[in-house]
Amino acid sequence: MNTESLLLTDLYQFTMLQAYFARGMNETAVFEFFVRKLPEQRNFLVAAGLEQALDHLESARFAADELQWLRDCGRFRPDFVASLADWRFTGDVDALPEGTPCFADEPLLRVVAPIREAQLVETRIINLLQFQTMIAAKAVRCVLAAAGRTLVDFGLRRSHGAEAGLLSARASHLAGFTGTATVLAGQRWGIPLFGTMAHSYIEAHASESQAFENFVRSQPAGSTLLIDTYDTEQAARKLLALLPKLTAEGRQISAVRIDSGDLGEHARRVRAILDAGGQPQVRILASGNLDEYRIRDLLQAGAPIDGFGVGTRMNTSADKPYLDCAYKLQEYAGTPRRKRSEGKLTWPGRKQICRCYDATGTMAGDTLSVVGDPQEATDLLLPVMRNGRRIAPSPSLAVVRAHLRDQLARLPEQLRRLETAPPYPVTVAPALQRLAEAADRATGRQP
Amino acid sequence: MNTESLLLTDLYQFTMLQAYFARGMNETAVFEFFVRKLPEQRNFLVAAGLEQALDHLESARFAADELQWLRDCGRFRPDFVASLADWRFTGDVDALPEGTPCFADEPLLRVVAPIREAQLVETRIINLLQFQTMIAAKAVRCVLAAAGRTLVDFGLRRSHGAEAGLLSARASHLAGFTGTATVLAGQRWGIPLFGTMAHSYIEAHASESQAFENFVRSQPAGSTLLIDTYDTEQAARKLLALLPKLTAEGRQISAVRIDSGDLGEHARRVRAILDAGGQPQVRILASGNLDEYRIRDLLQAGAPIDGFGVGTRMNTSADKPYLDCAYKLQEYAGTPRRKRSEGKLTWPGRKQICRCYDATGTMAGDTLSVVGDPQEATDLLLPVMRNGRRIAPSPSLAVVRAHLRDQLARLPEQLRRLETAPPYPVTVAPALQRLAEAADRATGRQP
């Protein structure tokens, strides 16, 4: 499927564009993407997905067959559809760098463009930013819980479709996962790949030992063997029995994987068997229904597990599979705008986030203000696109990972815990308060 | 992105294939996809996603650059990579027709193919079948709760990426949703499209009335107006004031949409305003954080709502965003296989589901047996692919919808409720019990 199609959007984008077209309305609009409220189980989010959002803005065009379909579908006037033929995004974007911890109400991205451009991209911008930001925020909790152990994304199969699988490999690596099992993510972004074998591989052989032996012999590099198909400890002993022969051939068994049962208990027994057999260098990987809580519990109980394969619960952000987020009009034709729907009040205008640090370099609070309001702090939103083109190549994933590692070290300690912490202080600057009141007076007067 | 790439899979598929290649192992394997356990909040699932799974099996090939990448990545021997150049799926598939209600342990799809083909497609088969089956199972609950009202998928923006948005439009329509807001789903599958306007459209105008008037004038067909940007009831009165002028011009306002606040209370007040103004034909649509429970509660409280826009919670299956599902080897080289990992015991062999109906045509219980075991009941798994080609064109979505409607009418009444019902009876036939015991004896003997 063409995931970059401009038809991958809500119908109302086109009905609104048609109304703007009919009236010749195309003044500059300012939209911002932000999360209204953090999920209870998240002390912070991690900005992610900007790279794909910018790709979309740079490349989105209407194909001839799409224009034909719009013409034929009975909802749109021919002159309006004709006006879409040369549609492209020519606006400016400022954004939080990927890998930046962020909080409720803070814009992750600001679009400044003629309204027919800024509006049409709404759906896909939200679709791209919310997903990776949500996954990075979940994955970073696993990273914090794993305290330096290897973490591998195993979740493609239960991800919500192809793009979710691919982008969750990216977002989790960005958040600190060592690698992924998803081959396409390795090809595309150079993310380190990890893989072992399935139970079916063992079952296809007449004996488990034969399956192990064939596998190790067939791989140029060191192998990881799955040992829980029948009896985990028995399998560890079979492996020990095979090792002298395989080692003599120059083959290497790097690790074993345990995927069922009491992972901590099996790991302890298998570790003892391997150590007693003189194989302390064979690592133990665990997988199966893992998330940050189970990782923490296993490690707190002293399980000798060197790495974790984390899938479904991370790739679907299972305890909170969506963010309460929005892409909202904040200014049109030079006038700040504000939605006043019940429970959905927004802060108008072009906003900036200023982050303060204490003397130790720890984050001490953010201020949400308007662009141009001087603050004694670091501005977080940076220019990334002007006139529809990136102003610089996007940073590599390695740079983004390093940026997040640095930021994590500056997070107040209680935010790095899995337990819900008191909210990080985000205050609204007086200048923004005044702007909001002015916007209310303006719309309050409207007939 | 190329969602059909064969690199969109787990690395272990390739390491296993390399091991099979090295030993010349490529006997016939039988894999089945099934759900181990229903989520607590689902009384039944709805088989969906077969169409996309068959598309993948028919079209999957390695591209030259993918083979080059596999050759260069350092994990695979050149002769193994060369063997992938003409890889294609040549096997047989039997499956539950899309739109069939199904239960734990029941195979939704059976693949019979040389193991190097049946194994490689595992990840994407699971990825495609679990997602649509999960979404259809969630969406059908909204359909049951809505009791005939219009239901529209509004969830693309918070879906997990592009494919999730597109396929949830399909799965929810299959399950009985009237339509979707996702334009690409309308173009691709002819799913009816619905769309209104965003709050930003209202806010971009100096006045709400002007925004309404411009919108209605610009649309060739009847319009739906969003009335909760500032004051919902006041907006309904503004609309009434505009109607005489617009009607005189031949324009039509079909509906209003309420997206915030107490939806039931606003709907009652707006209905009263519209009726008092002589506009009983203007329909009321509601949206905003809806799911089957909120729809039921609104309707039980008598809210005069004619249609619901349902997004995030349906498109992410928010209360249970994954299914405990697997694609397992059940037979290799003519011998039944069974995984015995703790808590993950599976039923071996090629299975068939036989569904019994009582005298009124209501489903009375399923029997899980082995292919060829004669049962006095309807076989549910049907042949859909032979030698890698579909044996018939897939049924249209209209046919699938009608099939599900028929099946829903035959579901025991308590399974159609939102509350958790006692499990529908699925019994294991003696023939399958015997096969499982034989498989255990066989693997119990292995060294």
Side-chain angles (χ1 to χ4, degrees):
Chain A
M1 62 172 287
N2 174 12
T3 52
E4 292 313 312
S5 169
L6 277 168
L7 298 191
L8 188 70
T9 191
D10 290 303
L11 181 68
Y12 80 2
Q13 311 294 3
F14 289 109
T15 54
M16 285 190 277
L17 253 61
Q18 176 160 262
Y20 289 139
F21 175 79
R23 300 288 298 183
M25 278 175 76
N26 206 16
E27 295 289 308
T28 299
V30 178
F31 281 83
E32 288 176 349
F33 173 84
F34 60 97
V35 174
R36 289 195 188 97
K37 200 168 167 293
L38 294 200
E40 243 176 72
Q41 312 89 326
R42 306 286 183 273
N43 291 326
F44 63 98
L45 301 175
V46 175
L50 178 61
E51 169 85 352
Q52 283 66 42
L54 296 179
D55 285 348
H56 181 68
L57 293 176
E58 279 192 344
S59 65
R61 304 282 187 278
F62 284 97
D65 67 309
E66 295 170 340
L67 292 169
Q68 190 60 50
W69 185 85
L70 288 168
R71 216 170 278 126
D72 295 345
C73 77
R75 296 170 183 276
F76 305 111
R77 300 177 196 279
D79 54 345
F80 165 62
V81 176
S83 78
L84 297 175
D86 58 358
W87 187 99
R88 72 178 197 87
F89 182 80
T90 65
D92 297 346
V93 179
D94 291 59
L96 283 195
E98 290 194 279
T100 306
C102 53
F103 304 93
D105 281 336
E106 298 187 337
L108 276 71
L109 171 133
R110 178 171 61 241
V111 167
V112 180
I115 197 164
R116 286 185 236 160
E117 299 171 19
Q119 183 66 61
L120 182 59
V121 299
E122 174 191 32
T123 309
R124 182 66 166 148
I125 290 283
I126 297 175
N127 177 268
L128 285 166
L129 292 181
Q130 101 118 8
F131 180 65
Q132 284 199 64
T133 297
M134 173 177 77
I135 297 301
K138 178 72 173 174
V140 77
R141 291 167 61 81
C142 300
V143 172
L144 292 168
R149 271 80 173 179
T150 298
L151 283 174
V152 182
D153 156 37
F154 269 15
L156 171 57
R157 60 190 57 200
R158 294 207 194 84
S159 289
H160 292 187
E163 194 174 66
L166 195 62
L167 293 181
S168 60
R170 180 180 187 276
S172 57
H173 186 56
L174 180 161
F177 270 49
T178 317
T180 180
T182 301
V183 182
L184 195 58
Q187 187 210 25
R188 175 166 306 195
W189 294 299
I191 300 174
L193 291 175
F194 290 76
T196 61
M197 61 182 62
H199 297 101
S200 62
Y201 174 79
I202 306 289
E203 293 166 70
H205 289 77
S207 96
E208 196 174 25
S209 290
Q210 192 63 57
F212 288 164
E213 193 175 332
N214 289 353
F215 190 83
V216 174
R217 286 219 173 100
S218 69
Q219 310 300 319
S223 301
T224 299
L225 300 179
L226 179 64
I227 59 170
D228 74 326
T229 305
Y230 305 113
D231 180 301
T232 301
E233 287 76 33
Q234 212 180 312
R237 289 189 201 97
K238 290 179 192 171
L239 182 161
L240 278 183
L242 286 170
L243 263 171
K245 180 165 62 173
L246 292 171
T247 311
E249 294 173 22
R251 306 290 173 187
Q252 201 201 335
I253 297 176
S254 331
V256 295
R257 175 162 76 98
I258 306 171
D259 185 56
S260 56
D262 181 333
L263 296 174
E265 189 48 38
H266 281 307
R268 260 183 295 274
R269 292 191 205 147
V270 167
R271 182 75 274 155
I273 292 167
L274 293 172
D275 289 352
Q279 304 296 334
Q281 81 293 347
V282 175
R283 302 172 78 228
I284 297 179
L285 306 179
S287 58
N289 293 323
L290 294 177
D291 61 12
E292 65 269 38
Y293 302 104
R294 296 185 190 208
I295 291 171
R296 177 194 57 188
D297 294 348
L298 283 165
L299 294 178
Q300 279 183 353
I305 296 173
D306 304 293
F308 298 92
V310 183
T312 309
R313 288 168 200 261
M314 183 276 288
N315 299 63
T316 63
S317 186
D319 58 342
K320 188 67 183 186
Y322 59 90
L323 297 175
D324 180 7
C325 61
Y327 174 87
K328 285 292 163 200
L329 182 70
Q330 312 289 14
E331 184 188 306
Y332 181 66
T335 309
R337 310 283 165 156
R338 183 183 202 179
K339 178 178 173 183
R340 292 208 311 269
S341 311
E342 296 163 57
K344 293 185 175 177
L345 203 68
T346 59
W347 292 104
R350 304 177 191 212
K351 289 179 289 297
Q352 181 54 273
I353 310 165
C354 307
R355 180 156 290 175
C356 293
Y357 298 88
D358 68 16
T360 69
T362 301
M363 289 164 51
D366 292 356
T367 304
L368 201 57
S369 191
V370 292
V371 169
D373 179 34
Q375 296 282 325
E376 301 281 337
T378 312
D379 283 355
L380 293 193
L381 279 120
L382 301 176
V384 290
M385 182 174 268
R386 289 295 178 264
N387 303 312
R389 310 302 306 174
R390 276 179 171 87
I391 60 171
S394 295
S396 69
L397 273 177
V399 168
V400 173
R401 281 162 60 86
H403 171 58
L404 175 56
R405 268 198 307 275
D406 172 78
Q407 291 282 301
L408 285 179
R410 294 172 185 279
L411 264 188
E413 197 276 333
Q414 57 187 6
L415 298 193
R416 292 200 300 260
R417 295 190 200 145
L418 300 189
E419 296 74 28
T420 304
Y424 176 79
V426 178
T427 50
V428 174
L432 180 53
Q433 295 274 12
R434 288 193 298 271
L435 189 76
E437 287 156 20
D440 284 353
R441 282 194 301 275
T443 51
R445 281 198 308 269
Q446 60 102 13
Chain B
M1 62 172 286
N2 174 12
T3 51
E4 292 312 313
S5 169
L6 276 168
L7 298 191
L8 189 72
T9 191
D10 291 302
L11 181 66
Y12 79 2
Q13 311 295 1
F14 289 110
T15 53
M16 285 189 277
L17 254 61
Q18 177 161 261
Y20 289 139
F21 176 78
R23 300 288 299 183
M25 279 176 72
N26 207 15
E27 294 290 308
T28 299
V30 178
F31 281 83
E32 289 176 349
F33 173 84
F34 60 97
V35 175
R36 289 196 189 94
K37 199 168 167 293
L38 293 199
E40 242 177 70
Q41 312 90 326
R42 307 287 184 272
N43 291 326
F44 62 99
L45 301 174
V46 175
L50 178 62
E51 168 85 352
Q52 282 66 42
L54 296 179
D55 285 348
H56 180 68
L57 293 177
E58 278 192 343
S59 65
R61 304 282 187 279
F62 284 97
D65 68 310
E66 295 170 340
L67 292 170
Q68 189 60 51
W69 185 84
L70 288 169
R71 215 170 278 126
D72 295 345
C73 77
R75 297 169 183 274
F76 305 110
R77 300 177 196 277
D79 55 345
F80 165 62
V81 176
S83 78
L84 297 175
D86 58 358
W87 186 99
R88 72 178 197 87
F89 181 80
T90 64
D92 297 346
V93 179
D94 290 61
L96 284 193
E98 289 195 280
T100 305
C102 53
F103 304 92
D105 281 335
E106 297 187 337
L108 276 72
L109 172 129
R110 179 173 60 242
V111 167
V112 179
I115 197 164
R116 286 186 234 158
E117 299 172 17
Q119 182 65 62
L120 182 58
V121 299
E122 173 190 32
T123 308
R124 183 66 165 148
I125 290 284
I126 297 176
N127 176 269
L128 285 166
L129 292 181
Q130 99 119 9
F131 181 65
Q132 285 199 63
T133 298
M134 173 178 77
I135 297 300
K138 177 74 173 173
V140 76
R141 290 167 61 82
C142 300
V143 171
L144 292 168
R149 272 80 173 180
T150 298
L151 282 174
V152 182
D153 157 37
F154 270 13
L156 171 58
R157 61 190 58 202
R158 292 206 196 85
S159 290
H160 293 187
E163 194 175 66
L166 195 61
L167 293 181
S168 60
R170 181 180 186 274
S172 57
H173 186 55
L174 179 161
F177 270 49
T178 318
T180 179
T182 301
V183 180
L184 195 57
Q187 186 210 26
R188 174 166 305 194
W189 295 298
I191 300 175
L193 291 174
F194 289 77
T196 60
M197 60 182 61
H199 297 102
S200 62
Y201 174 82
I202 305 290
E203 293 167 67
H205 289 79
S207 95
E208 196 175 25
S209 290
Q210 193 63 56
F212 288 165
E213 193 173 333
N214 289 353
F215 190 83
V216 174
R217 285 215 173 103
S218 70
Q219 309 300 318
S223 301
T224 299
L225 300 178
L226 178 65
I227 60 170
D228 74 327
T229 306
Y230 304 114
D231 179 299
T232 302
E233 287 76 32
Q234 212 179 313
R237 289 188 202 97
K238 290 177 192 172
L239 180 163
L240 278 183
L242 286 171
L243 262 171
K245 179 164 65 172
L246 291 170
T247 310
E249 294 173 23
R251 306 291 173 186
Q252 201 201 334
I253 297 175
S254 330
V256 295
R257 175 162 75 99
I258 307 170
D259 185 55
S260 56
D262 181 333
L263 296 174
E265 188 51 36
H266 282 305
R268 263 183 291 274
R269 292 191 205 148
V270 167
R271 183 76 274 157
I273 292 167
L274 293 173
D275 289 352
Q279 304 296 334
Q281 82 294 347
V282 176
R283 303 172 77 228
I284 297 179
L285 306 180
S287 58
N289 292 323
L290 295 177
D291 62 12
E292 66 268 39
Y293 301 103
R294 295 185 191 208
I295 291 170
R296 175 194 61 186
D297 293 348
L298 284 164
L299 294 178
Q300 279 182 354
I305 296 173
D306 305 290
F308 299 91
V310 183
T312 308
R313 288 167 200 262
M314 183 276 289
N315 299 64
T316 63
S317 188
D319 58 344
K320 188 68 184 185
Y322 60 89
L323 297 175
D324 180 6
C325 59
Y327 173 87
K328 285 291 163 202
L329 181 70
Q330 313 289 14
E331 184 188 305
Y332 180 66
T335 309
R337 309 282 165 156
R338 182 182 203 180
K339 177 178 173 182
R340 291 208 312 269
S341 311
E342 297 163 54
K344 292 186 175 176
L345 203 67
T346 59
W347 291 104
R350 304 178 188 209
K351 289 179 287 298
Q352 181 55 276
I353 311 165
C354 307
R355 182 155 287 175
C356 293
Y357 298 88
D358 68 15
T360 69
T362 301
M363 288 163 51
D366 292 356
T367 304
L368 201 57
S369 191
V370 291
V371 169
D373 179 34
Q375 297 282 326
E376 301 279 339
T378 311
D379 282 355
L380 292 192
L381 279 118
L382 301 176
V384 290
M385 182 173 270
R386 289 296 177 262
N387 303 313
R389 310 302 306 176
R390 276 179 171 87
I391 60 172
S394 294
S396 69
L397 272 177
V399 168
V400 174
R401 282 161 59 85
H403 170 59
L404 176 57
R405 268 199 306 276
D406 171 78
Q407 291 282 303
L408 284 178
R410 295 172 185 280
L411 264 187
E413 198 274 333
Q414 58 186 7
L415 298 192
R416 292 200 301 260
R417 294 190 200 145
L418 301 189
E419 295 76 26
T420 304
Y424 176 79
V426 179
T427 49
V428 174
L432 179 53
Q433 295 274 12
R434 286 192 298 272
L435 189 76
E437 287 155 21
D440 283 353
R441 279 195 302 274
T443 51
R445 279 198 308 269
Q446 61 103 14

